[in-house]
Amino acid sequence: YDADAVYSPTIVAYDGGLLMLYAGHCYVDCDQGWGVTLLAATSEDGIAWTKLAEPVLTGADTELDWTRDG
């Protein structure tokens, strides 16, 4: 979901650690999702991060023109 770029990270305190929400971009060689996807990662120290396995939100409904590109 974020093979090409990541943007707009927002970090908040969460469950005794940190949660980062960010926009992931993938347009070339996308194994999982194409376009822009809202993703998340967690950290205990703000240095080492673990990505959540599933996106928080996708724009994958290709039937709707305004969501086609994420």
Side-chain angles (χ1 to χ4, degrees), residues 40-59:
T42 59
S43 176
E44 292 181 9
D45 59 10
I47 297 172
W49 292 88
T50 302
K51 294 179 185 181
L52 272 60
E54 295 297 321
V56 174
L57 182 66
T58 64

Side-chain angles (χ1 to χ4, degrees), residues 15-70:
D15 200 25
L18 300 169
L19 174 72
M20 179 192 319
L21 293 171
Y22 64 97
H25 294 246
C26 189
Y27 300 103
V28 180
D29 296 326
C30 305
D31 293 337
Q32 298 176 4
W34 185 89
V36 180
T37 305
L38 183 63
L39 303 169
T42 59
S43 176
E44 292 181 9
D45 59 10
I47 297 172
W49 292 88
T50 302
K51 294 179 185 181
L52 272 60
E54 295 297 321
V56 174
L57 182 66
T58 64
D61 188 347
T62 57
E63 298 299 315
L64 301 172
D65 286 343
W66 62 275
T67 65
R68 180 179 53 242
D69 297 328

